[in-house]
Amino acid sequence: LIIPNQHCESTSSLPLELDLEITKIKRIIIDALYNSYNCPGVSTRQHNGPDGGQDVWHYHLHVFPRYENDRLYKLDQRATTPEERLPYAQKLREYLQNQD
């Protein structure tokens, strides 16, 4: 997730300067996902307004590594625990720290 500190409800209320900064960060994260997870694809997702599926009223952008048949949008998946996600977060953090 990319979440700005400044409160903006949705894309339409996002100042252009902040939108550009988020785009820069998105590109860094996408590169990091490709390189740290060796994923063949990446998806981004962001919702605006009730009819657009927005249910959190603070702008945020999801960035997902994607794999063939990963079933990302299937409803029969189980939630993972923070402990299960930790190695992935550490791998991504390590990649990003080595990019300075």
Side-chain angles (χ1 to χ4, degrees):
L1 282 172
I2 299 172
I3 307 170
N5 290 329
Q6 178 181 338
H7 177 67
C8 299
E9 189 170 288
S10 64
T11 300
S12 61
S13 62
L14 201 60
L16 181 58
E17 300 78 28
L18 186 53
D19 194 17
L20 292 171
E21 201 57 37
I22 290 168
T23 297
K24 290 177 188 176
I25 294 166
K26 175 184 69 178
R27 293 178 71 161
I28 292 167
I29 297 301
I30 288 172
D31 183 59
L33 290 173
Y34 279 128
N35 286 287
S36 340
Y37 298 160
N38 197 32
C39 56
V42 173
S43 288
T44 60
R45 188 173 181 178
Q46 200 277 319
H47 303 283
N48 293 279
D51 291 336
Q54 185 175 6
D55 58 6
V56 174
W57 301 100
H58 184 89
Y59 175 91
H60 61 286
L61 176 68
H62 297 261
V63 186
F64 301 99
R66 298 300 305 274
Y67 302 90
E68 185 175 356
N69 301 316
D70 63 14
R71 303 175 52 82
L72 177 64
Y73 298 111
K74 299 298 179 185
L75 297 176
D76 62 345
Q77 296 197 20
R78 72 173 182 84
T80 58
T81 66
E83 294 77 23
E84 289 174 292
R85 294 189 300 268
L86 186 59
Y88 296 96
Q90 289 172 327
K91 192 171 192 177
L92 191 58
R93 184 179 296 116
E94 181 180 306
Y95 177 84
L96 290 167
Q97 288 174 338
N98 290 324
Q99 297 309 300
D100 294 336

